[in-house]
Amino acid sequence: MKVSFRLNGETRSIESAPLDRLLDVLRRDLGLTAAKEGCGEGECGACSVFLDGVLVCSCLVPMAQVRGRSVETLEALTRPGAPLHPLQRLLIETDGSQCGFCSPGMIMAGVDYMRRLARGEVEDDHEARLRAIAGNICRCTGYTKIVEAIDRAIEEAGP
Amino acid sequence: MTERAMRLVGNRPPQVQARERVTGEAQYVDDLAIPGLWHGVTLRSPIARGRIVEIEPDPDFDWSRVVLVDARDLPGRNVLPLILDDQPVLAEREIRHPFEPVMLIAAPDRALALEARNRLNLRYEAKPIAVEISDALEARVKVFGEDNVFKQIDIAKGDLEAGFAAATIELERDFWTGPQEQLYMEPQGMIAAWEGDQLVLRGSLQCPYYVQAAARAVFGLEPEQVRVIACELGGGFGGKEEYPSLLAVHAALLARKAGRPVKMVYDRAEDMQATTKRHPSQTRIRAGIDAEGRLTALAVDLVLDGGAYCTLSPVVLSRAVLHAGSAYACPNVAVRGRVVATNTPPNGAFRGFGAPQALFAMETMMDLLARAAGLDPLEMRRRNALRAGDETSTGQVLEQAAAADVLERAAEAADFRARRELYDRPQTGSIRRGIGLSLIMHGCGFTGAGESRLKGRLTLDLDARGEQLLVQVRTGSTDMGQGMRTTFKQLAAEILGLELDEVEVAAQDTALVPDSGPTVASRTLMIVGGLVARAARQALTSLGLEEGAGAEALRLALAGRGRLEIEEVHEPPATLFDEDHYRGQAYPSWGYACTICEVEVDMTTFEPRIVDVVTCQDVGRAIHPGIVEGQIQGGIAQGLGYAAFEEVQMHDGAMVNANFNRYIVPTAMDLPPIRVLLHESGQGAGPFGAKGIGEMPVDGAAPAYVSALAQALRTSFRELPVTPEAIAESFLRPRPGKADA
């Protein structure tokens, strides 16, 4: 079937089976490999993308659901050579990315929280910040430095 | 030698490839686009032990679209070479563990390969199985030899019976630990391509030269005919030490038969079911202390479950027995270690490598001894901590021992004594609290005479032929997130007097870099980083320059010859450690760590919560403190997972909870900020006094957690993991012998 959707701000139209996973289409057909497959069942968060602005695990999204909608991946956050998103920069500064495999999904989850915060949709506290990334498994860092990066990014963004 | 102020060592520069990692540009093996690539999958045994009768292909399937490989496709012996050469590349007739690879399938797309696998009917005859350590020791089912023992190691020091005679308190207790899954976020993956008569392997792997050696042996190739490239590595933790050799050979067999590149990437369930795990263990400790609470005698009998094939188990056992006494002085010691064979998938390398099992048992025993002696856990350790000049169980005299230092610093930072006393008072209400500590030591680098055999090599290349001075470090050590590339750049740039971006670390490609030995055993910074420092100093000496000379001076000095290549080899004398009697210097350096954990338990749900973690670790010297803190925090998180969450549920030798929602690892909500104090004694065997730090943080987390839990609940736990279910069970259905004092 033909699926037309918005991808990182551009309209795309591709041939795809209805049950093809969005993750495979992004990685295999469109060459966007920032989203990773860590588990394939929506438990680890490494494949996180935005679908109509909502954070989803792209391994759980069949292409039939993507038709006419808008997909945003980590690639859209920073164009090559452009300055990084503050959370990306702070993840580097705090050494909050070790092997890096969870980092794309972790950043999407952190950015999702910061956007919801800016829209006034969340009651911001330490617990809420932890909950925002609790669906993203990191096996390297113990999360301490990732949480520090998120705290600093929110602080920088100001009230 | 006068101390020069350091420009780069001790700083926190942004890590190499950090930008690529946070933008998603970093190329992991499954991110590579290779034209004409086929996809490979594996047909595995559904049973733990038996005989393959026949593999029937479904006659209604079009087999011309796929390629099948079985043991008959091997060009030579059906053996994956390692320590014992007992593991077949593909099972031929006998099946020895669940998920053992039997056949390989490649197809233009993965879905077709999986469909073909479903159309193969493996018929078998099942045989009786041995899946527990107790089954292996009974040896009614023989998995390996006559007694199922892959390896036994004994350590003896002093006079054990005299030691027990001098004791005023004697205790004997048993301890158990379960398997643990490495759970690197990136599953195992490999791409094999035959280019002419050269085999090119790209993969997620810790040890390029291990993979090269395995492929050479299986296909009968010369070193230059097997090129191994480590891609950006999505975590390893030991799980990508030996296993990638098997995967590489599988992918290469398919690629050879298909006549095109083949990629094999495991899905998560397959990765958890089929690949190696931390060895389960059972340990009996008999210990005596005198009236002052000092150890007089220690007898440890430790058994590890190696699984169906030997893999690296003898080396894991070696580290386990060498860590059996933890960080304590004891004049009379006897350790017997055995690793046995069972019909489970082979266990293998996992960060800590035998030490966490042994140290959980000994540290928990120290708490039990303290309780029996009426001492608190801190005081018990103060009285027994190893000090400079003391001797380990193998008779290694310690020139430096920071055990007491890290103990006191951590205890002070956590306010241990006051909190321990507070929680010792009667507790009522629905939340119970406890605080516990552990004190451990971890041997840095390969065990015993291992380094003498490895002879790790490294090349430093200085090239002034162009406009720019090019300085390149060439090493076969890999960067799996532990920051090798950044740390090595800091070392070379510090000594040569360059900026960080004036040094590059070559890609981990066997066509470009020498064999630095495997990236394991907390040896990369200490041993291979030591070679970086030596090579840089050697370069300066041969150019007649002083340390910190700088780019201009190096360019001028190189003007005549253009280029200078320095090769360094690590060749310690093999005589430092006697492997036959387990006497002598087991490790060039020992690191010391005290970890303190505070917990609270909801008595309605038996749900524990980790409230605070403080640790002080003797790292020798932190070349990059951000990397070192990250290693410590991540290692402690893994150790707390081992203690509190991570339960591998086995049925007939097979893992049955092989996914993220039933095998639970800590999330951000499960852990408090992990507070790290770096103890920089500057006395490690590595560059600038650094010690290896990769594994030590895992060791002490589980005993500290269990110690805290034991105080909160006024009991003790001697089996890992202690899940909420295990806590509930200890109250509702106490099992004699497993959760008493």
Side-chain angles (χ1 to χ4, degrees):
Chain A
M1 82 179 179
K2 200 85 169 165
V3 182
S4 293
F5 64 108
R6 301 273 295 169
L7 175 62
N8 296 337
E10 288 169 25
T11 303
R12 301 295 290 256
S13 193
I14 60 153
E15 200 55 47
S16 153
L19 289 181
D20 274 0
R21 305 183 306 170
L22 172 58
L23 175 64
D24 294 327
V25 170
L26 290 172
R27 291 179 51 81
R28 179 192 64 204
D29 301 337
L30 299 168
L32 296 177
T33 56
K36 308 294 181 203
E37 177 161 352
C39 71
E41 40 191 37
E43 291 287 337
C44 79
C47 65
S48 299
V49 301
F50 289 103
L51 184 63
D52 285 347
V54 175
L55 190 72
V56 296
C57 288
S58 60
C59 72
L60 295 183
V61 178
M63 284 309 286
Q65 280 185 11
V66 176
R67 179 180 286 182
R69 299 175 73 179
S70 169
V71 173
E72 184 188 350
T73 70
L74 181 74
E75 282 90 347
L77 211 56
T78 310
R79 300 293 171 187
L84 297 172
H85 183 281
L87 186 53
Q88 290 174 309
R89 174 173 50 76
L90 286 161
L91 213 55
I92 295 176
E93 284 180 18
T94 58
D95 296 295
S97 173
Q98 287 187 27
C99 85
F101 202 78
C102 78
S103 300
M106 193 66 80
I107 290 162
M108 295 302 265
V111 166
D112 176 54
Y113 184 79
M114 291 176 72
R115 286 178 182 175
R116 285 189 288 131
L117 192 59
R119 293 196 298 260
E121 291 170 8
V122 287
E123 199 70 53
D124 182 36
D125 60 20
H126 181 66
E127 194 76 8
R129 293 176 187 187
L130 297 183
R131 202 174 309 120
I133 58 163
N136 294 74
I137 305 291
C138 168
R139 192 57 159 168
C140 293
T141 64
Y143 305 102
T144 304
K145 290 181 184 297
I146 294 173
V147 174
E148 186 192 333
I150 291 172
D151 288 346
R152 284 171 57 184
I154 291 170
E155 196 181 320
E156 274 188 16
Chain B
M1 194 172 93
T2 54
E3 193 91 343
R4 205 168 48 83
M6 278 184 296
R7 294 179 307 120
L8 300 168
V9 165
N11 287 2
R12 301 170 186 244
Q15 292 186 38
V16 175
Q17 283 279 315
R19 186 185 164 100
E20 289 79 0
R21 290 198 297 252
V22 301
T23 56
E25 290 161 45
Q27 297 276 291
Y28 301 83
V29 62
D30 197 36
D31 298 337
L32 301 178
I34 292 183
L37 187 77
W38 277 27
H39 299 261
V41 299
T42 311
L43 176 71
R44 299 181 178 280
S45 108
I47 53 163
R49 183 162 171 263
R51 193 174 65 83
I52 298 170
V53 176
E54 194 185 3
I55 300 169
E56 300 166 329
D58 183 343
D60 295 333
F61 185 78
D62 177 5
W63 293 98
S64 69
R65 295 180 296 162
V66 303
V67 159
L68 300 178
V69 160
D70 64 23
R72 290 168 300 181
D73 291 295
L74 283 153
R77 281 174 75 206
N78 184 7
V79 165
L80 187 75
L82 205 58
I83 293 174
L84 282 191
D85 289 0
D86 59 336
Q87 183 173 11
V89 172
L90 290 165
E92 227 165 318
R93 270 186 296 277
E94 292 299 317
I95 289 167
R96 296 185 185 83
H97 67 79
F99 309 112
E100 183 159 13
V102 176
M103 221 167 166
L104 306 166
I105 305 106
D109 66 80
R110 189 170 154 84
L112 181 61
L114 290 169
E115 169 68 12
R117 186 175 70 180
N118 288 339
R119 303 295 191 97
L120 293 166
N121 180 27
L122 172 62
R123 294 201 301 119
Y124 55 82
E125 272 170 20
K127 292 183 184 173
I129 58 177
V131 292
E132 303 282 344
I133 287 175
S134 53
D135 301 338
L137 291 173
E138 277 174 26
R140 274 197 303 245
V141 171
K142 292 181 179 29
V143 186
F144 178 81
E146 286 305 305
D147 59 359
N148 290 332
V149 176
F150 282 126
K151 174 85 175 174
Q152 173 166 341
I153 298 172
D154 293 274
I155 297 176
K157 182 177 106 164
D159 181 340
L160 196 68
E161 287 319 312
F164 280 116
T168 54
I169 295 173
E170 188 181 317
L171 280 184
E172 185 174 83
R173 290 290 183 272
D174 293 309
F175 304 86
W176 298 265
T177 63
Q180 187 186 17
E181 166 61 31
Q182 292 91 352
L183 217 86
Y184 30 71
M185 290 308 297
E186 178 205 25
Q188 302 270 355
M190 190 74 61
I191 297 172
W194 291 86
E195 296 173 4
D197 65 350
Q198 191 186 43
L199 171 61
V200 182
L201 295 157
R202 292 179 175 80
S204 183
L205 51 96
Q206 291 176 225
C207 309
Y209 279 92
Y210 275 11
V211 173
Q212 189 193 58
R216 282 183 58 200
V218 169
F219 294 100
L221 299 171
E222 297 301 316
E224 60 279 4
Q225 291 177 289
V226 182
R227 180 176 175 191
V228 182
I229 303 164
C231 301
E232 196 69 24
L233 194 49
F237 314 116
K240 294 170 184 170
E241 176 175 350
E242 75 277 28
Y243 195 85
S245 299
L246 183 62
L247 187 57
V249 168
H250 285 172
L253 283 165
L254 281 172
R256 203 171 66 137
K257 199 154 176 185
R260 57 181 74 239
V262 170
K263 171 161 81 177
M264 298 185 81
V265 175
Y266 288 173
D267 65 30
R268 182 59 66 180
E270 180 175 30
D271 195 300
M272 292 175 86
Q273 289 164 335
T275 73
T276 59
K277 294 186 177 43
R278 190 184 300 293
H279 292 66
S281 73
Q282 76 176 41
T283 303
R284 172 165 294 175
I285 301 182
R286 179 182 167 219
I289 51 175
D290 64 19
E292 275 77 52
R294 292 196 169 81
L295 286 163
T296 59
L298 178 66
V300 180
D301 186 353
L302 172 146
V303 188
L304 299 177
D305 175 355
Y309 299 110
C310 179
T311 69
L312 298 167
S313 288
V315 196
V316 176
L317 178 69
S318 180
R319 188 171 282 276
V321 297
L322 289 165
H323 287 72
S326 194
Y328 308 112
C330 181
N332 308 297
V333 180
V335 182
R336 175 172 71 157
R338 286 170 291 171
V339 58
V340 296
T342 60
N343 295 113
T344 62
N347 292 307
F350 187 174
R351 193 180 200 176
F353 209 74
Q357 295 93 318
L359 288 165
F360 166 69
M362 184 59 191
E363 280 304 291
T364 306
M365 188 67 173
M366 287 297 278
D367 271 13
L368 297 175
L369 289 165
R371 189 185 299 179
L375 296 171
D376 80 18
L378 173 61
E379 187 56 35
M380 182 70 189
R381 284 161 176 89
R382 271 186 187 139
R383 295 189 185 185
N384 286 284
L386 280 163
R387 286 159 207 279
D390 283 344
E391 215 182 52
T392 67
S393 62
T394 63
Q396 177 174 357
V397 177
L398 299 167
E399 287 169 25
Q400 178 256 353
D405 303 319
V406 297
L407 180 69
E408 299 302 337
R409 283 189 63 191
E412 193 190 328
D415 198 14
F416 180 82
R417 176 149 268 167
R419 289 203 274 174
R420 181 85 188 177
E421 279 172 13
L422 179 65
Y423 303 145
D424 265 343
R425 292 185 205 149
Q427 297 189 39
T428 53
S430 62
I431 302 289
R432 305 285 164 83
R433 295 184 173 83
I435 188 167
L437 66 70
S438 69
L439 177 66
I440 59 96
M441 64 200 276
H442 191 95
C444 314
F446 235 77
T447 297
E451 292 291 346
S452 314
R453 280 192 293 272
L454 290 174
K455 295 191 182 20
R457 282 165 198 277
L458 177 134
T459 309
L460 182 70
D461 186 37
L462 296 90
D463 189 340
R465 288 174 301 181
E467 278 178 30
Q468 291 268 304
L469 172 72
L470 295 176
V471 176
Q472 195 181 51
V473 177
R474 296 198 197 119
T475 172
S477 297
T478 52
D479 197 334
M480 61 190 110
Q482 89 284 31
M484 176 281 290
R485 289 170 293 199
T486 310
T487 308
F488 282 14
K489 279 176 71 159
Q490 283 177 276
L491 293 171
E494 176 73 54
I495 293 167
L496 295 172
L498 300 174
E499 297 307 317
L500 274 183
D501 58 10
E502 292 175 307
V503 177
E504 79 176 33
V505 177
Q508 278 65 59
D509 174 343
T510 56
L512 306 174
V513 298
D515 183 358
S516 304
T519 312
V520 304
S522 312
R523 66 182 287 280
T524 299
L525 168 59
M526 196 179 75
I527 304 293
V528 189
L531 296 178
V532 174
R534 256 167 55 186
R537 293 197 172 106
Q538 182 56 44
L540 291 168
T541 305
S542 37
L543 295 170
L545 297 172
E546 295 286 312
E547 195 152 324
E552 203 44 48
L554 283 164
R555 220 190 333 260
L556 282 173
L558 281 162
R561 63 171 107 188
R563 190 167 164 228
L564 176 65
E565 194 178 271
I566 306 280
E567 189 185 60
E568 289 289 337
V569 186
H570 183 60
E571 288 180 291
T575 51
L576 297 173
F577 188 73
D578 174 353
E579 284 185 331
D580 296 329
H581 304 98
Y582 267 65
R583 298 289 301 163
Q585 181 189 296
Y587 298 98
S589 285
W590 293 86
Y592 301 84
C594 175
T595 301
I596 296 177
C597 187
E598 185 172 339
V599 299
E600 49 184 50
V601 182
D602 183 327
M603 297 306 287
T604 313
T605 61
F606 297 109
E607 197 176 1
R609 200 167 73 87
I610 301 166
V611 181
D612 190 22
V613 180
V614 178
T615 190
C616 181
Q617 312 227 348
D618 170 24
V619 304
R621 171 88 64 189
I623 306 297
H624 187 305
I627 290 176
V628 175
E629 289 161 4
Q631 284 296 299
I632 293 173
Q633 289 162 339
I636 284 180
Q638 269 179 346
L640 291 172
Y642 186 42
F645 303 95
E646 299 181 31
E647 183 177 29
V648 176
Q649 292 162 4
M650 302 287 272
H651 180 73
D652 286 349
M655 181 176 187
V656 293
N657 58 332
N659 63 27
F660 273 86
N661 63 15
R662 288 188 296 154
Y663 183 80
I664 308 296
V665 295
T667 71
M669 294 192 76
D670 299 312
L671 299 172
I674 296 166
R675 298 194 278 151
V676 176
L677 304 172
L678 298 182
H679 186 75
E680 297 192 74
S681 61
Q683 289 175 289
F688 300 96
K691 297 182 175 184
I693 183 63
E695 297 170 284
M696 179 164 69
V698 177
D699 293 348
Y705 173 79
V706 169
S707 172
L709 210 54
Q711 188 193 25
L713 299 171
R714 306 292 193 255
T715 180
S716 68
F717 295 93
R718 292 186 280 117
E719 182 172 15
L720 290 182
V722 189
T723 59
E725 292 82 355
I727 294 171
E729 211 165 283
S730 77
F731 274 83
L732 308 173
R733 271 187 293 140
R735 274 185 298 172
K738 285 223 168 180
D740 65 354

